[in-house]
Amino acid sequence: MIESFFDGNQVEILETHVDPITLLSGPPCCGKTSLLFQFAYNCASQSNANVVFMCNRSRLQSKRPYLSQSIDPSSHVFKLIQMKYVEDDEEIKKYFAAFHQHDKIPTAVVVDDFGDLFDDRTCQERYTNPRGRDLAMVRTLALCYNAITHANKKSPCKLLLSDTHLGNSTRLLYIYKRWISSIFTVKGDGPGSFLLRNKNYSRSCGLGKTRIAKYSIALKDLVFEGITDDNEQ
Amino acid sequence: MSASSLVAESVWKSIESTRSVTEDQLSILHFLFGKNIERATRIVDQRGVRRISGEPSGRSIFKVVGESRRKEEYLCFAENYCACYSFFYDIVNKGEQLCCKHQLAARLASALGACVEVNVSDEQLALLLAKL
């Protein structure tokens, strides 16, 4: 699945078993939005079906994602990607609460900066609880999980979330792990270069190898630089 | 999924296939889930589990009555979510238990076919879920 974050012309995207919900977690400014966009493009072009991309509008406009060079920005595939601008967690909840009402279920839903949609103060007030933000995330993730699992009974549907973490890993991993079995993390590897690695928490953990993809956004393009097996487990 | 979850899943499946539960199965469940399974059986016996299903989609959520005198109802997805205090603090935060009693009640009622089935429109279900 790690290949689906990159250009299909540069790396072969295999149709292996894909977990329905995936998290991409990384430090700020490491190209997460770009990887998400590539993923959305790949999903749309492979299945020729709708993909919904949810993000904060002003953030997207101030930091546009980088596409890989061989992708034509005027490609018809982008018409299949439906942008949905959201401001907070209530909007995400409303969307997934009504997910079963879609006539045509999208083949993938991508949510950029999932964690940022949860405002500390608002959540604490809403639940009158100092851990309000964690509580809100638990509820929203449970709702997403239920929406996607139900949708998959009728047609394949994937959910990809991204979150920003400071330091070595996300503090909220203990919450995410409960509903998300496939987690990718990004680590810096020199200026503009990064390593993307998958950690699998699902039942099949230990059967598959952990792989690391190297990529760069140094020259304002998403450049795939190779995949290796992870030797340090 | 942990070994406990896998064992539990196979017990739920066999209960579902016979629509009844044996002493042996109850022992296994008690071993896995402790006192919560007794509390869960009480809730099921009192018809405290409602499954609210949207039509025509078939998407559903459980509403389970608590054991306190106030008879609070908790929204619950049987496998992995409950709105109660215990779910957030004991299960998510401390990782001490696998399931709260409301989740177990929902699971048990569903396997036995002992839920009170409530059908609502998909739109009404969406409104309910948005307030999760």
Side-chain angles (χ1 to χ4, degrees), chain A:
Chain A
M1 197 204 145
I2 198 168
E3 296 87 353
S4 33
F5 289 103
F6 302 102
D7 184 359
N9 294 320
Q10 297 176 328
V11 62
E12 199 192 338
I13 299 171
L14 307 158
E15 267 305 305
T16 52
H17 165 74
V18 173
D19 294 285
I21 309 185
T22 305
L23 172 72
L24 172 68
S25 176
C29 304
C30 66
K32 290 192 295 298
T33 307
S34 307
L35 291 171
L36 257 51
F37 247 87
Q38 183 69 57
F39 179 86
Y41 179 92
N42 289 342
C43 287
S45 104
Q46 272 174 342
S47 53
N48 207 33
N50 244 38
V51 171
V52 175
F53 195 102
M54 288 201 231
C55 61
N56 180 284
R57 185 178 207 140
S58 46
R59 189 166 306 132
L60 187 74
Q61 285 173 340
S62 62
K63 262 185 69 193
R64 300 203 156 255
Y66 306 127
L67 298 175
S68 81
Q69 268 197 336
S70 60
I71 291 185
D72 175 13
S74 63
S75 159
H76 75 281
V77 175
F78 287 108
K79 290 205 178 72
L80 293 168
I81 302 178
Q82 182 194 344
M83 301 301 294
K84 187 171 166 62
Y85 299 112
V86 288
E87 295 290 317
D88 61 21
D89 59 315
E90 285 289 304
E91 289 184 49
I92 292 260
K93 269 169 68 173
K94 283 202 191 99
Y95 177 78
F96 284 105
F99 203 65
H100 56 285
Q101 291 182 286
H102 282 239
D103 285 326
K104 243 179 46 166
I105 296 172
T107 188
V109 179
V110 179
V111 184
D112 197 12
D113 268 323
F114 182 76
D116 263 352
L117 295 165
F118 297 86
D119 175 61
D120 251 325
R121 184 79 173 277
T122 316
C123 294
Q124 282 167 357
E125 282 171 5
R126 190 192 304 150
Y127 298 112
T128 51
N129 187 317
R131 314 262 316 262
R133 187 168 181 265
D134 290 2
L135 200 61
M137 286 195 89
V138 164
R139 293 186 172 203
T140 307
L141 283 168
L143 194 57
C144 292
Y145 183 94
N146 173 264
I148 297 291
T149 309
H150 182 261
N152 270 302
K153 290 186 194 156
K154 302 207 176 96
S155 66
C157 180
K158 294 183 270 217
L159 174 64
L160 172 63
L161 310 175
S162 83
D163 197 11
T164 306
H165 68 248
L166 302 161
N168 267 336
S169 68
T170 175
R171 177 189 78 79
L172 299 165
L173 202 62
Y174 80 99
I175 293 183
Y176 282 123
K177 259 168 48 179
R178 195 153 272 283
W179 289 276
I180 306 176
S181 49
S182 175
I183 299 186
F184 287 84
T185 54
V186 179
K187 217 169 66 170
D189 187 49
S193 268
F194 299 94
L195 298 172
L196 175 69
R197 179 210 236 125
N198 67 324
K199 287 175 185 292
N200 205 305
Y201 291 99
S202 73
R203 190 191 314 222
S204 56
C205 185
L207 294 177
K209 285 191 282 232
T210 302
R211 295 155 84 225
I212 304 184
K214 194 167 153 70
Y215 70 94
S216 158
I217 49 170
L219 300 170
K220 300 210 190 296
D221 282 316
L222 178 60
V223 179
F224 170 71
E225 290 173 348
I227 289 188
T228 52
D229 288 332
D230 185 14
N231 292 317
E232 41 150 301
Q233 281 289 355

Side-chain angles (χ1 to χ4, degrees), chain B residues 70-123:
Chain B
R70 278 169 302 149
K71 294 285 168 199
E72 267 183 62
E73 280 193 298
Y74 298 103
L75 282 174
C76 160
F77 292 124
E79 300 85 20
N80 56 27
Y81 171 76
C82 181
C84 73
Y85 182 95
S86 171
F87 179 78
F88 183 63
Y89 285 102
D90 296 327
I91 296 168
V92 178
N93 278 336
K94 291 197 232 159
E96 266 175 15
Q97 290 168 40
L98 293 171
C99 287
C100 71
K101 59 180 178 259
H102 312 110
Q103 285 176 281
L104 289 173
R107 225 51 227 274
L108 188 59
S110 171
L112 288 171
C115 312
V116 177
E117 301 282 350
V118 179
N119 290 328
V120 300
S121 71
D122 275 337
E123 198 175 324

Side-chain angles (χ1 to χ4, degrees), chain B residues 12-67:
Chain B
W12 296 128
K13 281 207 178 76
S14 47
I15 294 177
E16 201 170 341
S17 63
T18 59
R19 290 298 196 200
S20 66
V21 58
T22 65
E23 285 294 328
D24 276 345
Q25 285 163 333
L26 276 176
S27 304
I28 299 176
L29 291 172
H30 194 276
F31 180 75
L32 293 171
F33 299 115
K35 284 218 184 71
N36 274 339
I37 200 69
E38 287 164 24
R39 298 173 181 143
T41 51
R42 278 203 291 273
I43 296 173
V44 175
D45 286 339
Q46 287 164 11
R47 306 276 285 165
V49 179
R50 276 198 289 165
R51 170 163 36 209
I52 301 167
S53 306
E55 287 184 329
S57 68
R59 188 176 179 190
S60 64
I61 189 167
F62 291 96
K63 243 187 177 177
V64 184
V65 180
E67 286 211 297

